[in-house]
Amino acid sequence: MTNDLTETSITEAVQRTFDGADDERVRELFVRLVQHLHDFAREVRLTGDEWFTAMEFLKRVGDISTPARQEFALLSDILGLSVLVDLINRERGTSTTESTLLGPFYVAGRPTAQNGSDISGGVAGVPLFFHGTVLDADGIPVAGARVDTWHSDGEGFYDVQMPEKLHGRLAMRALLTTDDQGRFWYRSVAPRYYPVPTDGPCGEILRAANRSPMRPEHLHFWFHAEGFEPLITMLFRSDDPYLERDAVFGLRHSLVVDFVHHEAGGTAPDGTRMAEPFQTVEWTFALARKEN
């Protein structure tokens, strides 16, 4: 007859149940996860009421999550886990563009657009003209790279946050492809800083900690090209008031860029004579080649 489990022996007992896992990495992940979870509970002397609160919290995170509202991703973001995973896996000592977190507003079913298209979806705002170039680490253009881009509107809202206003349409996001010189370009509207969603469980954490929910103004990019490592990154507006106070820890100073202001009457990069003020952004991205 085996002895009853104790506060300390329970951990090894649970870990042994993963000994039969066919995948060694699965076994490693769960054995270490159990170790840290149990150590945490012992360290803070977790109470039954606190355990029930945690279970109910996770249930509510799941309940509020939808394909357009990824509350679990937001939870990972505000706890710094998303950026930690990126830091662990980042290429070191290269001349390629820094990566950062994906964020909760990426949508896989985005529309495909031709270079030079207006991807604003008809959303009103200050016109923004973006021109990007994609190179490898040696400065050679990467032709045919697929470029996902998405951003908020001028009030800090993404399309998935205003389905009634947009009648379910997607806006301010597209999938583009670089030309033979590694270039891609589009027109949209200038984004703005915004608070991460605080009407759900993640907002409760921020309020409990008296933390700011604000994210600085930025543009998202996700690059895929044959023979290269994927790159998830952002560009941040250089004069944004929240630049050093990103609620999800995503800022990289190498990704700070000027959003150049132009007065009405100027000529846009596509040759359009603009009757209103507009902004332009130009940036060069460098991708890392996959190792053979």
Side-chain angles (χ1 to χ4, degrees), residues 16 18 82 118 138 140 164 175 190 206 212 236 248 257 269 280 285:
R16 284 199 303 267
F18 294 98
S82 302
D118 184 346
D138 297 319
I140 300 172
E164 294 183 1
L175 175 65
L206 295 175
S212 168
F236 298 86
V248 301
V257 61
T280 57
F285 304 87

Side-chain angles (χ1 to χ4, degrees), residues 2-275:
T2 59
N3 295 328
D4 289 339
L5 293 172
T6 66
E7 179 182 308
T8 54
S9 67
I10 177 67
T11 301
E12 184 180 353
V14 176
Q15 290 174 322
R16 284 199 303 267
T17 65
F18 294 98
D19 287 348
D22 293 330
D23 189 317
E24 181 58 31
R25 179 60 170 168
V26 168
R27 179 186 178 280
E28 178 186 12
L29 290 173
F30 278 97
V31 166
R32 299 310 301 162
L33 176 63
V34 169
Q35 186 70 56
H36 290 295
L37 280 175
H38 287 210
D39 285 346
F40 167 78
R42 284 186 286 260
E43 178 183 348
V44 302
R45 309 309 301 169
L46 194 68
T47 69
D49 286 345
E50 289 166 342
W51 180 88
F52 277 111
T53 298
M55 296 304 103
E56 176 61 22
F57 176 87
L58 292 175
K59 178 182 180 300
R60 290 188 289 113
V61 170
D63 288 343
I64 202 171
S65 296
T66 69
R69 172 71 181 265
Q70 301 174 41
E71 194 78 359
F72 275 110
L74 179 58
L75 179 61
S76 174
D77 292 349
I78 66 171
L79 294 179
L81 179 60
S82 302
V83 167
L84 175 58
V85 171
D86 177 62
L87 291 170
I88 291 170
N89 291 281
R90 180 183 302 169
E91 293 286 335
R92 302 291 179 179
T94 71
S95 58
T96 56
T97 299
E98 283 197 275
S99 57
T100 187
L101 76 169
L102 179 66
F105 295 115
Y106 170 74
V107 174
R110 68 289 193 234
T112 300
Q114 298 295 317
N115 284 314
S117 298
D118 184 346
I119 70 168
S120 68
V123 173
V126 176
L128 172 74
F129 294 86
F130 184 88
H131 188 284
T133 303
V134 183
L135 308 175
D136 68 8
D138 297 319
I140 300 172
V142 179
R146 301 184 304 283
V147 185
D148 264 297
T149 185
W150 66 102
H151 61 82
S152 76
D153 69 1
E155 296 181 351
F157 293 101
Y158 287 81
D159 49 6
V160 295
Q161 294 177 291
M162 41 185 179
E164 294 183 1
K165 179 179 179 180
L166 293 175
H167 305 290
R169 293 183 295 106
L170 296 178
M172 302 166 293
R173 68 175 74 237
L175 175 65
L176 300 104
T177 302
T178 59
D179 67 7
D180 290 342
Q181 299 179 56
R183 303 174 304 178
F184 69 99
W185 61 97
Y186 61 86
R187 173 176 176 167
S188 191
V189 294
R192 186 174 174 81
Y193 51 76
Y194 61 84
V196 298
T198 58
D199 58 338
C202 291
E204 297 172 18
I205 293 178
L206 295 175
R207 287 188 291 274
N210 290 316
R211 277 176 55 182
S212 168
M214 299 304 295
R215 293 222 64 206
E217 181 176 327
H218 58 274
L219 302 168
H220 289 271
F221 300 91
W222 191 351
F223 298 89
H224 289 87
E226 186 174 354
F228 292 86
E229 297 290 345
L231 171 66
I232 297 172
T233 193
M234 304 181 202
L235 293 180
F236 298 86
R237 187 185 185 103
S238 60
D239 58 353
D240 189 279
Y242 297 100
L243 194 62
E244 301 294 340
R245 293 179 285 166
D246 188 353
V248 301
F249 313 100
L251 176 68
R252 300 288 177 273
H253 288 95
S254 68
L255 302 176
V256 175
V257 61
D258 292 333
F259 284 56
V260 181
H261 175 79
H262 303 265
E263 296 294 344
T267 301
D270 65 358
T272 303
R273 188 75 171 176
M274 300 296 292

